[in-house]
Amino acid sequence: MPQDYREDGQVDLFLPQLTALPLRDQRETMERPFFSLSKRKRLKPIDYVSPDRKVTVHVSANSEYGLATIYDLDILIYCASVLIEHKRRGANDIPQTLNVVPYDMLRTLKREVGGRAYDLLGNALDRLQSTTVKTNIRSGDAVETTFSWIDSYSQLKDRTGNVRGMRITLAKWFYDGVLMEGGVLAIDPAYFSLTGGRERWLYRVARKHAGGAGTDGFAISMPTLFEKSGAEGDYRRFKFEMTKIVRENALPGYALELELRAEAEPFLRMVRRNLTSEPGAPSPALVQTAPTPGRATPSAQDKAIDEPPIAFPEYGHIAHSAFGAIARANLPEPQRDHGMVADDFRSFLRQREIAYDARNITQIFATFCSKQRAAL
């Protein structure tokens, strides 16, 4: 789908830029289901209607490419950040078409740089260009807007066929949403180190709602959260996966707390970490509210679903686990090899006779990482 340009004279148009870019996310897309949460190809549409039935979102896929994913969203976050940087620098005419250096983008998004990385980038752009969105999110029932995330993109290649630059034309809906007053929120660069689609989605929900909510944070019922996710699969599976994420409690900047209620579905509370308990205290994970007299307590089967265990791995690497995300978020830069940090942490646990599945193991590991020295 991209257009290719090979004239060497055009290469200079794509100057290296913005490698230390403050990251911004488009606010309206952060709490409603616009993206597939899985890397697997999804053809099933997303249909969302808000509880008050005033807001609708319908997202449909091209059969060849599938729905745009939450990993493809990284490109839009990068583009939004570039637009805001132009605005910060006082540009009079901020372009809807951006000249992008793929190498800079991949580095900013904490992705590998190489031949396959450029192929994956092209695949992501194809999904963003071919996914169709219909929503009335800005106008209620008055106007439903239909768009794709990007209108078009083109690749600039040198004589050897290597991609040197890209031109990405953003959808006007997205472009306007980024530049409108209050249209973006700053996000933690550690977001890109989250490997799970649901973790990434939940971080964005927490950033949107709990970022300025004070010490009480923001709480939402699990069924409502399920509807907002657009996730495939049934509610039971979603609840299990959310509970596991709460137990891991590894979202950058936000602590998670599951409030269990007798004969009612649980609520998920999100609180900014620097507004929670005293420094060094364990982050909240699961809170059991007192049962109402005369009401039945949850069954053993329900507890098995609600409380999946989490333990630090006794051997092996942690790169693709929740503990890898904790290490990336807490180790000082330049970071030591995570495998060596994991081995040191295991020795630390053995010396102090701390169980690998201690209740606050994630907080212990986060504190351990924060006290490590930077790599030489």
Side-chain angles (χ1 to χ4, degrees):
M1 297 181 69
Q3 300 178 22
D4 292 347
Y5 296 90
R6 296 181 182 272
E7 295 87 344
D8 286 350
Q10 296 190 45
V11 172
D12 290 339
L13 294 175
F14 296 84
L15 301 176
Q17 58 175 335
L18 308 175
T19 53
L21 191 62
L23 297 167
R24 301 291 184 267
D25 200 348
Q26 207 281 319
R27 181 191 292 264
E28 292 167 313
T29 66
M30 295 177 75
E31 65 162 320
R32 293 189 171 92
F34 284 98
F35 300 93
S36 170
L37 304 186
S38 173
K39 290 183 178 179
R40 296 191 306 272
K41 182 178 179 180
R42 174 173 173 172
L43 297 177
K44 180 182 177 181
I46 296 173
D47 278 300
Y48 170 79
V49 180
S50 63
D52 61 7
R53 309 198 69 79
K54 292 183 178 180
V55 175
T56 61
V57 176
H58 176 81
V59 188
S60 56
N62 176 289
S63 60
E64 181 177 355
Y65 299 108
L67 283 181
T69 73
I70 198 160
Y71 304 95
D72 303 336
L73 168 66
D74 291 0
I75 296 172
L76 296 180
I77 292 175
Y78 182 85
C79 290
S81 305
V82 172
L83 292 177
I84 295 302
E85 183 65 13
H86 280 302
K87 184 177 181 180
R88 187 189 69 80
R89 294 182 180 186
N92 293 323
D93 187 14
I94 300 175
Q96 190 175 339
T97 298
L98 300 177
N99 291 338
V100 173
V101 179
Y103 178 86
D104 290 348
M105 178 190 289
L106 292 169
R107 288 289 301 274
T108 299
L109 302 179
K110 298 186 183 299
R111 297 193 182 188
E112 294 183 0
V113 178
R116 176 162 169 74
Y118 291 101
D119 291 339
L120 294 175
L121 187 60
N123 294 341
L125 287 164
D126 284 338
R127 286 188 292 270
L128 290 169
Q129 198 278 325
S130 62
T131 295
T132 301
V133 181
K134 295 178 182 287
T135 184
N136 64 350
I137 197 170
R138 289 188 193 149
S139 56
D141 294 331
V143 178
E144 182 180 68
T145 303
T146 301
F147 61 92
S148 295
W149 293 110
I150 61 175
D151 287 348
S152 64
Y153 78 97
S154 56
Q155 298 177 335
L156 181 65
K157 298 181 178 180
D158 60 22
R159 292 185 183 277
T160 63
N162 294 321
V163 178
R164 296 289 302 277
M166 288 181 172
R167 289 191 182 94
I168 301 175
T169 301
L170 300 168
K172 192 172 189 307
W173 188 94
F174 182 79
Y175 171 84
D176 289 344
V178 169
L179 295 178
M180 69 183 183
E181 190 67 28
V184 296
L185 290 173
I187 63 170
D188 193 320
Y191 166 81
F192 297 116
S193 297
L194 295 173
T195 56
R198 284 169 173 77
E199 287 88 342
R200 285 177 166 230
W201 168 77
L202 191 59
Y203 169 83
R204 299 177 76 232
V205 174
R207 177 65 187 91
K208 168 70 162 55
H209 288 294
T215 55
D216 290 336
F218 170 77
I220 184 171
S221 72
M222 193 68 75
T224 301
L225 198 64
F226 175 61
E227 293 299 324
K228 283 178 173 286
S229 73
E232 289 190 285
D234 58 20
Y235 170 67
R236 181 184 177 89
R237 180 65 187 176
F238 175 84
K239 180 180 175 182
F240 173 84
E241 292 172 343
M242 286 296 106
T243 304
K244 184 174 183 292
I245 292 171
V246 172
R247 292 297 300 267
E248 292 172 349
N249 208 8
L251 294 189
Y254 294 90
L256 304 175
E257 175 183 320
L258 195 64
E259 299 176 347
L260 306 179
R261 306 184 178 200
E263 292 190 353
E265 290 301 311
F267 272 61
L268 178 57
R269 186 173 297 278
M270 314 164 194
V271 185
R272 278 176 55 191
R273 290 191 187 275
N274 60 351
L275 297 179
T276 55
S277 53
E278 298 178 0
S283 298
L286 288 172
V287 174
Q288 173 73 60
T289 57
T292 303
R295 290 188 175 181
T297 57
S299 67
Q301 183 180 13
D302 289 336
K303 288 184 177 180
I305 294 173
D306 287 336
E307 301 183 17
I310 179 172
F312 193 86
E314 295 186 23
Y315 55 87
H317 213 287
I318 60 172
H320 301 296
S321 70
F323 293 99
I326 294 173
R328 288 187 288 271
N330 290 279
L331 285 171
E333 297 288 349
Q335 296 188 355
R336 294 177 56 207
D337 177 79
H338 291 185
M340 296 179 64
V341 172
D343 288 340
D344 290 347
F345 184 63
R346 293 182 185 105
S347 298
F348 171 86
L349 294 178
R350 288 193 296 269
Q351 291 170 4
R352 288 161 177 76
E353 297 184 349
I354 299 173
Y356 283 84
D357 60 351
R359 176 177 173 80
N360 59 338
I361 191 68
T362 54
Q363 180 63 31
I364 295 172
F365 183 59
T367 302
F368 179 85
C369 289
S370 67
K371 294 181 178 180
Q372 298 301 297
R373 293 181 179 179
L376 298 177

